[in-house]
Amino acid sequence: MLCYTTYPSPVGTLTLAADETGQALAGLWLEGQKYFPVCLERQAVCGGFPILDRAKKWLDRYFAGERPESGELPLVFRGSEFQQAVWEELRRIPYGETVTYGDLAAALARQERRTSARAVGGAVGRNPISIIVPCHRVAGAGGRLTGYAGGLERKTWLLRHEGV
């Protein structure tokens, strides 16, 4: 069972979820985001979990223009082994920079995980911890802005916020 809370941000209300232990962040979704977990509607709204407070402080810093690292927070990923590998690659994308889906596929291939940019795109789109795990920093071939589960206007806002 996940406990969750909300956070008002410049890109809309965010929903943050702690894992069942309350020790790790299991989700961060933008309001109206594609792939928003329907199961949260049946979960408990709660406070008092230190990880949720830590995540809110991380977001405060991020939206204030600081550059907090995703590694500062304990995260728990729920997804296939492939998805988790993609999400770990997302955590390596530096603040204010972008990579392409092809770049991510090549990085996975160097780890002996041969895949396609299309498969990577599917995993990126299902990233359960938006912003902190920066899927907004992934662009299409040639640097084109392509899909974002939270909407292209939010992706554009986040990238501009980071100076891209």
Side-chain angles (χ1 to χ4, degrees):
M1 179 173 189
L2 300 175
C3 276
Y4 72 96
T5 189
T6 58
Y7 176 89
S9 84
V11 292
T13 301
L14 305 178
T15 299
L16 295 88
D19 72 348
E20 47 282 326
T21 70
Q23 301 301 309
L25 190 66
L28 189 160
W29 300 274
L30 294 101
E31 186 174 26
Q33 177 176 328
K34 190 176 183 182
Y35 308 119
F36 185 89
V38 176
C39 68
L40 278 185
E41 296 168 4
R42 297 184 301 273
Q43 303 295 321
V45 177
C46 56
F49 275 17
I51 188 59
L52 295 176
D53 294 334
R54 286 179 61 196
K56 286 180 177 183
K57 287 178 182 159
W58 190 101
L59 290 164
D60 287 343
R61 291 171 45 224
Y62 175 81
F63 288 118
E66 295 179 31
R67 298 177 177 206
E69 298 287 331
S70 68
E72 295 176 21
L73 297 171
L75 307 178
V76 113
F77 291 122
R78 295 196 165 127
S80 71
E81 184 180 321
F82 173 74
Q83 288 172 323
Q84 290 182 41
V86 170
W87 301 334
E88 285 297 335
E89 281 301 313
L90 293 176
R91 294 178 78 178
R92 293 182 178 94
I93 305 170
Y95 181 99
E97 294 183 25
T98 60
V99 301
T100 66
Y101 296 99
D103 293 334
L104 290 174
L108 290 166
R110 287 190 293 276
Q111 300 170 25
E112 298 183 17
R113 292 179 181 272
R114 299 191 65 71
T115 188
S116 69
R118 182 175 294 238
V120 166
V124 169
R126 286 172 177 77
N127 170 22
I129 307 176
S130 295
I131 302 173
I132 293 172
V133 176
C135 51
H136 60 278
R137 297 179 188 156
V138 182
R144 284 177 317 152
L145 273 187
T146 57
Y148 183 60
L152 281 179
E153 67 286 344
R154 288 176 171 150
K155 181 174 189 162
T156 300
W157 191 97
L158 292 166
L159 291 172
R160 283 189 180 144
H161 174 70
E162 294 184 12
V164 176

